[in-house]
Amino acid sequence: MSVLFLSFLLLIPILLLLRRKRKPSKRVPPGSLGMPIIGQSLGLLRAMRANTAEKWVQERIKKYGPISKLSLFGKPTVLLNGQAANKFIFSGGGNTIANQQTQSIKMILGDRNLLELSGEDHSRVRGALVSFLKPESLKQYVGKMDEEVKRHLEMHWQGKQQVKVLPLMKTLTFNIICYLLFGLECGKQKDEFLDSFQAMIEGMWSVPINVPFTRYNRSLRASARIDNMLKEIVHNKKIELKQNGASAHQDLISCLLGMVGEDDRQVMSEKEIFHNIKLVMVAGYDTSSILITFIVRLLANEPAICAAVLQEQEEIAKSKPSGEALTWEDLSKMKYTWRVAMETLRMFPPIFGGFRKAATDIEYDGYLIPKGWQIFWVTAMTHMDKSIFPEPSKFEPSRFENQASVPPYCFIPFGGGTRICPGYEFARLETLVAIHYLVTRFSWKLCSDNLFSRDPMPQPTQGLLVQIWPRTLS
């Protein structure tokens, strides 16, 4: 008995040594993972709909510090906050961080969309999209955007006393997207596309439990309908390209189908085209329409800023023959208007936050982020940091007079670094064209309150109902 006891005592140091070797050198961040699958997802979604999501995040930061663990949308997650965290996330963190969205976004948009790709695949697909969305390519579409905006205002604003801004801006941006992405004009096919598209985006931030009558289930079914529509469109585009030849000056689908690499193979597979078309649709539809809506909301509340925007736009309008479309050169003169847009994006970013994935065990700020965990950041946290933007609750477009003065990785409505949104220039064009004609043709005042909620993007109450009346050039 004594021999066995002595042997056991001798084994204790060895067991302790083995245990220390297995134990990570760093501990995971503080916090709780909550209930399985659900975690803190419902709490965050409730806070977003009550427009208290930033406060919800701030309370976590106050309790646990700038890095904490939680569970969102079925996955263990680490929340990172601050300029250094943004730089780490958007610069790619070396080979330690991979692109990955929540399970709901991945399943709805598809696993070959740009937000899911890393390394060479990310560079290849991003390069293909940028070739169409870069300024040199978009210059030729300013006239078409001009035409769409004027037609929209004549149909939905002219002669009206009241309008709901957000639904109408979504209609406008969807029409622009349909033309530039698919070459679709008005008609039954576009109307069917819009119905399915709106159903698809409703469940992108949802708990990924696929049971009937849930948002997630409805979104999955709508995504499948869009895939079928895209298959038909791609098939028809292929026939057109064979008959007429490829052109880089057509819509995005034709452009992607016509791209071939050095080995004469198509740069993007059809699956990648489907998934990234849906991604570009979401980015161009929601973010731009929300930005334009919040600018309209702001101009109603800030007479001095509205007067400065109007003065800039009237000078451009007066310099052109009556009825002549805006040009790329005209948009380059709208410097103050775009500063107003950027300050709107700072205070009311359409994208609440986003996700990445730890590709390996990561040691960050004294903690371990285990391989496979989600990494979550929130856009507004640096936007509303008074140490970065003094008096952050004050609307001040002059913050962006010299963009070099804004610290890097602090203003991130379009992401940053190598992960910056490739549709940035597209959003700038349609926003400036829309605001030009809105302020030079109409005056307005709010009929509803200033409240809004996130679902997951900001939605003004009553869609931002405004009273409108025609304006003539002064």
Side-chain angles (χ1 to χ4, degrees):
M1 187 72 173
S2 59
V3 175
L4 288 172
F5 183 73
L6 181 61
S7 301
F8 177 75
L9 289 178
L10 291 172
L11 281 172
I12 288 176
I14 299 173
L15 293 171
L16 290 174
L17 180 63
L18 290 172
R19 185 179 178 186
R20 278 199 298 271
K21 283 186 176 180
R22 287 196 304 267
K23 187 177 180 180
S25 59
K26 303 287 183 182
R27 62 188 180 92
V28 296
S32 168
L33 296 180
M35 295 175 60
I37 301 178
I38 295 174
Q40 286 80 14
S41 305
L42 297 181
L44 173 60
L45 291 172
R46 279 196 298 267
M48 292 174 76
R49 288 166 193 158
N51 196 23
T52 58
E54 284 84 358
K55 181 181 178 183
W56 186 91
V57 173
Q58 193 61 56
E59 287 174 352
R60 286 195 62 84
I61 295 169
K62 186 177 180 180
K63 183 176 181 180
Y64 298 115
I67 175 171
S68 62
K69 73 171 181 281
L70 67 164
S71 176
L72 291 176
F73 311 113
K75 291 265 184 95
T77 305
V78 171
L79 168 67
L80 298 183
N81 176 65
Q83 179 186 9
N86 291 344
K87 181 178 180 180
F88 177 69
I89 290 165
F90 292 121
S91 63
N95 296 318
T96 59
I97 297 179
N99 268 1
Q100 179 175 291
Q101 295 301 298
T102 64
Q103 183 70 9
S104 55
I105 293 176
K106 177 181 178 180
M107 296 304 294
I108 291 166
L109 293 185
D111 60 5
R112 298 300 296 175
N113 81 76
L114 191 64
L115 300 179
E116 294 290 330
L117 302 177
S118 297
E120 291 183 3
D121 282 344
H122 181 273
S123 299
R124 172 177 53 81
V125 172
R126 180 185 172 83
L129 294 175
V130 167
S131 68
F132 183 83
L133 295 170
K134 63 185 178 183
E136 293 80 3
S137 300
L138 289 175
K139 283 181 180 181
Q140 63 190 314
Y141 297 110
V142 175
K144 182 59 183 178
M145 287 186 182
D146 182 285
E147 180 186 322
E148 288 287 350
V149 171
K150 287 189 286 195
R151 180 164 57 200
H152 170 86
L153 294 179
E154 288 168 5
M155 287 180 62
H156 301 289
W157 291 64
Q158 199 167 301
K160 303 290 195 303
Q161 293 182 326
Q162 289 186 346
V163 296
K164 288 186 176 182
V165 180
L166 182 56
L168 289 180
M169 289 303 101
K170 288 189 173 186
T171 299
L172 171 62
T173 56
F174 188 79
N175 287 343
I176 292 173
I177 287 168
C178 277
Y179 178 80
L180 293 184
L181 266 59
F182 319 127
L184 286 182
E185 300 287 351
C186 296
K188 182 180 178 182
Q189 187 179 25
K190 192 172 74 172
D191 294 340
E192 291 174 352
F193 221 112
L194 178 59
D195 292 341
S196 294
F197 178 68
Q198 288 175 328
M200 182 187 81
I201 62 178
E202 286 180 359
M204 288 183 61
W205 277 45
S206 58
V207 178
I209 300 176
N210 188 13
V211 295
F213 310 112
T214 62
R215 276 188 166 198
Y216 182 57
N217 177 265
R218 289 196 297 269
S219 292
L220 286 175
R221 289 188 283 115
S223 178
R225 291 197 299 272
I226 288 177
D227 281 341
N228 289 332
M229 295 180 200
L230 288 175
K231 287 176 184 176
E232 182 181 350
I233 292 172
V234 167
H235 174 74
N236 292 334
K237 294 293 179 186
K238 280 184 171 181
I239 294 173
E240 290 176 16
L241 289 173
K242 283 183 180 180
Q243 292 175 347
N244 304 321
S247 170
H249 304 301
Q250 290 175 265
D251 53 83
L252 177 58
I253 289 182
S254 298
C255 181
L256 296 179
L257 287 172
M259 285 184 186
V260 293
E262 294 179 358
D263 56 359
D264 291 329
R265 294 176 62 185
Q266 198 168 295
V267 171
M268 288 175 62
S269 68
E270 284 194 14
K271 182 179 181 181
E272 288 173 338
I273 291 175
F274 297 157
H275 294 182
N276 285 284
I277 285 292
K278 288 191 287 186
L279 172 63
V280 175
M281 285 173 67
V282 171
Y285 172 77
D286 255 343
T287 54
S288 296
S289 60
I290 288 167
L291 172 57
I292 297 167
T293 298
F294 273 80
I295 294 174
V296 169
R297 175 179 179 265
L298 163 90
L299 296 180
N301 291 324
E302 301 280 354
I305 293 173
C306 183
V309 169
L310 178 61
Q311 181 181 354
E312 180 175 78
Q313 298 300 336
E314 282 194 328
E315 287 175 0
I316 293 169
K318 289 174 184 175
S319 69
K320 303 179 69 62
S322 178
E324 185 177 293
L326 291 169
T327 64
W328 181 267
E329 289 68 30
D330 293 326
L331 300 186
S332 68
K333 298 174 185 176
M334 301 180 185
K335 291 181 172 57
Y336 182 78
T337 304
W338 187 240
R339 290 201 293 271
V340 168
M342 293 215 288
E343 179 70 342
T344 304
L345 286 167
R346 183 189 69 81
M347 295 187 69
F348 310 104
I351 304 298
F352 178 75
F355 296 86
R356 296 284 189 270
K357 182 181 74 170
T360 183
D361 285 351
I362 299 172
E363 290 189 7
Y364 180 82
D365 199 22
Y367 293 103
L368 171 75
I369 304 175
K371 178 181 179 180
W373 280 34
Q374 290 182 147
I375 299 172
F376 177 48
W377 81 93
V378 177
T379 307
M381 303 318 292
T382 50
H383 288 196
M384 301 302 289
D385 187 331
K386 62 184 179 182
S387 68
I388 301 169
F389 296 102
E391 296 184 88
S393 297
K394 180 182 179 181
F395 194 93
E396 187 51 73
S398 63
R399 299 181 201 273
F400 296 97
E401 283 182 6
N402 177 16
Q403 289 195 49
S405 66
V406 178
Y409 297 101
C410 291
F411 178 65
I412 54 169
F414 295 101
T418 59
R419 304 296 187 185
I420 196 165
C421 174
Y424 168 85
E425 196 65 33
F426 179 89
R428 188 181 76 88
L429 296 191
E430 59 182 351
T431 298
L432 291 176
V433 174
I435 293 300
H436 172 81
Y437 286 110
L438 282 169
V439 299
T440 55
R441 294 189 176 191
F442 298 95
S443 298
W444 60 83
K445 67 177 182 179
L446 301 182
C447 297
S448 55
D449 54 44
N450 272 326
L451 300 178
F452 67 93
S453 63
R454 283 189 172 273
D455 194 22
M457 296 193 182
Q459 310 276 337
T461 54
Q462 299 182 50
L464 195 69
L465 182 67
V466 297
Q467 180 183 341
I468 62 172
W469 57 94
R471 182 199 295 275
T472 55
L473 284 178
S474 59

